[in-house]
Amino acid sequence: MTKYFDPKATDNFFRGTPLLEYFRKFSKKRNFGNTWRETLETTEGIADTYSELEVLDRARKNLVHYADYDSGHYYAAMNVSWDDEKRTRSPEEKVDLMKVRSGNAVKSMQRKLSDDLMGGDGTNRSMVGLSTAISEAGTTSFGGINGATTGYTYWVNKSTAVGGNVALTDIIDMQASCSNGGKTTDTLLMDKYIQAFIWGNLLQAQERYTTGKYNMAEELPMVIGIPIITDSALEGDANTTASTRTYDGGYTSGSIYFLDKDGLFLGINSQDDMKRWPTGRPVDQFVYSTYWTFEGMLVMNQRRTQGLLYNITV
């Protein structure tokens, strides 16, 4: 029985989910316990003219130089009962069974990780998601640092309430606002309805098509030269209304996230990156079981290069 639990029969857990693919592509791996400590990039410090060396009572700024992120823990299980074993007589049938069961595990893991990357709140060992890292207030506590603290301007993301249809000037202004020290937005994240509105209403024909095909950057559509990612996880976001979305209107409070991959990435425990555990059979039970585990979290070292347009009506 055990020999049929072949890793080759399982799909890539991140394939087919754009939000996961993006963060997986720019992820960083490290061997850590339950917490990832990240050194922050800030512009605050002490720098002055040479004459300031003569001042003996120079006060040092009280800075936070690192953030601590608690990891999220996830698993996907695959079980095969004794009845399943009897019904699959040939090796080919057993492989087909494994593909179906592993596919179910893949989909459940994709859905859970995608949802938590968007809206996880850290409870029950889940990761803290984008809706906290890049918030409407901009000062939400993240990584153990409260951005509302006096002097912590380096830990405040950019945000603007649109209050109507999004315009190209809204996107351009937010990108400019997120630029800091040469770093700026490299990806826009939004739901498919806002992307469809931008594509159909804001772009000129030459911006939409090149020789009859989509104008693509890394296989993604663009607006003002920035690739767009759409993911169904945003359609359940707290910043959207789930029941009345249509392409040409009918909902409010959609959002566009402005992501800087250098300042915000997926941290993965190198010892628990979709680790496959040995197949086992619980005592006195007619079932075989195996599972995969994953440990990781969103990590940020540069918050002011991240932005959010919210309360968008399309």
Side-chain angles (χ1 to χ4, degrees), residues 75-117:
Y75 75 92
M78 183 169 68
N79 302 311
V80 177
S81 69
W82 182 250
D83 186 58
D84 293 326
E85 173 74 1
K86 290 192 298 181
R87 291 174 184 272
T88 53
R89 299 178 181 180
S90 69
E92 292 79 10
E93 288 178 335
K94 295 180 186 296
V95 170
D96 289 340
L97 174 65
M98 293 303 100
K99 286 182 178 180
V100 172
R101 295 294 169 83
S102 64
N104 290 339
V106 166
K107 291 175 182 177
S108 65
M109 180 71 92
Q110 284 181 336
R111 182 175 62 252
K112 180 60 176 173
L113 286 175
S114 226
D115 288 346
D116 281 2
L117 271 172

Side-chain angles (χ1 to χ4, degrees), residues 53-92:
L53 292 175
E54 300 173 3
V55 181
L56 299 181
D57 61 349
R58 185 72 171 172
R60 184 179 183 277
K61 289 188 177 182
N62 182 23
L63 295 179
V64 176
H65 292 283
Y66 54 82
D68 290 326
Y69 299 94
D70 293 332
S71 59
H73 295 248
Y74 300 87
Y75 75 92
M78 183 169 68
N79 302 311
V80 177
S81 69
W82 182 250
D83 186 58
D84 293 326
E85 173 74 1
K86 290 192 298 181
R87 291 174 184 272
T88 53
R89 299 178 181 180
S90 69
E92 292 79 10

Side-chain angles (χ1 to χ4, degrees), residues 197-228:
F197 175 81
I198 291 173
W199 203 256
N201 295 275
L202 302 186
L203 301 184
Q204 300 296 319
Q206 63 270 24
E207 296 175 295
R208 300 191 203 107
Y209 303 99
T210 301
T211 64
K213 298 181 180 180
Y214 281 114
N215 181 17
M216 308 291 268
E218 298 181 342
E219 299 182 354
L220 297 173
M222 292 191 300
V223 60
I224 66 167
I226 307 175
I228 297 173

Side-chain angles (χ1 to χ4, degrees), residues 253-274:
S253 297
S255 302
I256 300 177
Y257 288 81
F258 290 65
L259 306 180
D260 164 27
K261 67 179 184 297
D262 294 323
L264 178 67
F265 56 89
L266 179 64
I268 299 175
N269 191 331
S270 57
Q271 302 300 310
D272 202 4
D273 181 15
M274 290 304 174

